[in-house]
Amino acid sequence: MVVPIMSGKDNLTAVLYGIEDLRLEQRPIPTPKDDEVLLEMDSVGICGSDVHYLVNGRIGDFVVRKPMVIGHEASGIVAKVGSRVHNVRVGDRVAIEPGYGCRVCDYCKDGRYNLCPEMIFCATPPYDGNLTRYYTHPADFCYKLPDHVTMEEGALLEPLAVGVHACRRAGVGLGSEVLILGAGPIGLVTLITARSMGAGRIIVTDLLQNRLDVAKELGADGTLVVERGADEQDVVKKVHALFGGHAPDKTIDCSGAEATSRLSVLATRSGGCAVLVGMGPAEIKLPLVNALSREVDIRGVFRYCNDYPGALSLVASGKINVKRLITHHFNIEETAEAFNTSRHGLGGAIKVMIHVQPKDKNNPK
């Protein structure tokens, strides 16, 4: 199968110039290196980090100092392959793992390439993302999609991989009792991953009831609305009540707020594990004496590594339903409206998907 590359200059691209300055512009169609593929992009989801860069121009030490192509939750069609590429062919539908390391440092060699100091990650300054019609990427970080998996599901492997990594870091297994703090996209993919791994009971908390309704639909055994400023000891008691009067052995904080980070320690049973996924302020106050005296492990999560194959397997098997997370669809010409919808949660937005090509063009018939 040959995917025709448009002869004109149609490489419409979403470029973030700075705070509140997101533009659509034409860029040259790139040429793949020997170990890369040229992709005709199909679907790109909007992540909270994309919105954060738009609103604040930075996340921690990552600062938008020059125009940056936005987007990293993506899938596409292989349009051209480099001379050393053998794992995919022209016409293949692929999911794109957006970050890759140097391959030679100790972290990469040890299989923890997400910690590589030379990590290149889409739409993380100073590197461009992939909300564009044509994009080049290392072939070994492209994963061929089975015929029955949609392009939207391929794009959602990115947030799903975060959930897989979080559950692996927490040691979720058969019978685990899991508390998930936050019912945004990452909290929801963590929920469905924990369920697929055999968790016995899963409770989800959030500020918004509508998101908890989705969590319930996706398999949460119980939910709890936690109001801003609520007394944390009272929240701990309510959480334990939902677990039948005892504490969960795993807590995964997908929010990143100081209140939820504290709750992840306070609500977890002695000897349990608290995993921090959501990134909030650079510094917060944690009840460390409480954690130390009860031997609660506190573990961090930074993206994922070696988790895309597992995420793809979960989707391909039909064990989980990530498509339920998609609430809104826009084409690339409507990027500004798409970001506004995601940013303000309009219409109960959970995951907003931008279609670079006509919706369903490359999906199973």
Side-chain angles (χ1 to χ4, degrees):
M1 176 181 179
V2 177
V3 177
I5 298 176
M6 303 183 77
S7 59
K9 296 182 179 180
D10 190 6
N11 190 28
L12 191 63
T13 304
V15 183
L16 181 65
Y17 276 77
I19 295 175
E20 306 291 359
D21 189 2
L22 181 59
R23 311 177 194 177
L24 288 175
E25 63 185 37
Q26 291 288 348
R27 288 200 166 188
I29 296 175
T31 299
K33 298 176 183 176
D34 290 345
D35 59 350
E36 292 182 336
V37 292
L38 175 67
L39 297 165
E40 187 179 36
M41 299 303 295
D42 184 284
S43 298
V44 182
I46 296 179
C47 174
S49 65
D50 297 321
V51 174
H52 206 85
Y53 282 123
L54 173 65
V55 175
N56 299 295
R58 67 185 299 160
I59 297 177
D61 294 333
F62 298 105
V63 182
V64 179
R65 302 186 188 279
K66 64 182 182 65
M68 177 185 78
V69 180
I70 204 74
H72 63 269
E73 301 178 357
S75 63
I77 306 292
V78 177
K80 184 184 291 187
V81 299
S83 62
R84 295 204 302 265
V85 173
H86 303 289
N87 63 310
V88 293
R89 298 184 299 177
V90 170
D92 282 348
R93 305 178 317 125
V94 299
I96 304 162
E97 182 172 353
Y100 52 96
C102 70
R103 297 174 172 81
V104 297
C105 71
D106 288 342
Y107 294 106
C108 287
K109 289 180 177 180
D110 196 39
R112 304 188 71 182
Y113 57 86
N114 60 322
L115 304 180
C116 173
E118 303 299 323
M119 166 67 72
I120 294 174
F121 198 92
C122 290
T124 297
Y127 304 108
D128 284 332
N130 49 31
L131 182 47
T132 178
R133 293 207 192 278
Y134 289 96
Y135 167 76
T136 56
H137 199 72
D140 56 329
F141 280 80
C142 294
Y143 297 83
K144 185 176 179 180
L145 298 176
D147 291 342
H148 65 284
V149 173
T150 67
M151 301 302 288
E152 293 86 353
E153 288 173 309
L156 287 176
L157 291 189
E158 199 281 335
L160 180 59
V162 177
V164 171
H165 193 60
C167 287
R168 285 175 168 170
R169 290 281 287 161
V172 174
L174 294 175
S176 294
E177 299 208 321
V178 183
L179 171 64
I180 296 174
L181 306 176
I186 298 301
L188 295 175
V189 293
T190 301
L191 159 64
I192 58 181
T193 300
R195 179 61 72 205
S196 72
M197 289 181 168
R201 183 179 301 184
I202 305 172
I203 304 298
V204 182
T205 72
D206 198 88
L207 297 168
L208 303 175
Q209 183 61 53
N210 66 304
R211 291 198 167 190
L212 292 176
D213 291 341
V214 178
K216 193 75 173 177
E217 182 183 335
L218 290 173
D221 297 290
T223 61
L224 177 66
V225 174
V226 179
E227 297 180 357
R228 294 185 189 277
D231 179 78
E232 62 184 14
Q233 290 302 323
D234 182 54
V235 175
V236 169
K237 290 179 181 178
K238 290 179 179 179
V239 166
H240 290 176
L242 288 171
F243 279 100
H246 57 271
D249 53 324
K250 320 285 185 186
T251 297
I252 304 176
D253 176 20
C254 299
S255 169
E258 181 172 308
T260 55
S261 295
R262 292 178 57 84
L263 183 60
S264 68
V265 172
L266 297 171
T268 303
R269 74 169 175 85
S270 297
C273 181
V275 173
L276 308 182
V277 183
M279 289 189 176
E283 296 185 9
I284 60 173
K285 291 176 63 176
L286 284 178
L288 284 181
V289 171
N290 181 287
L292 298 175
S293 63
R294 298 192 302 112
E295 291 197 352
V296 174
D297 291 347
I298 301 174
R299 298 178 183 173
V301 162
F302 186 57
R303 298 171 180 153
Y304 38 75
C305 63
N306 303 306
D307 296 301
Y308 254 66
L312 178 55
S313 178
L314 285 174
V315 171
S317 69
K319 292 181 180 179
I320 64 173
N321 177 22
V322 290
K323 288 188 289 187
R324 174 61 184 88
L325 304 180
I326 305 174
T327 54
H328 294 75
H329 297 267
F330 295 91
N331 60 48
I332 189 171
E333 291 83 1
E334 300 169 317
T335 291
E337 184 180 353
F339 267 80
N340 187 59
T341 299
S342 180
R343 173 180 179 176
H344 297 291
L346 302 181
I350 297 176
K351 179 57 64 178
V352 175
M353 190 66 63
I354 296 177
H355 298 274
V356 182
Q357 299 187 46
K359 186 175 180 292
D360 295 327
K361 174 185 175 183
N362 296 305
N363 281 338
K365 304 304 181 184

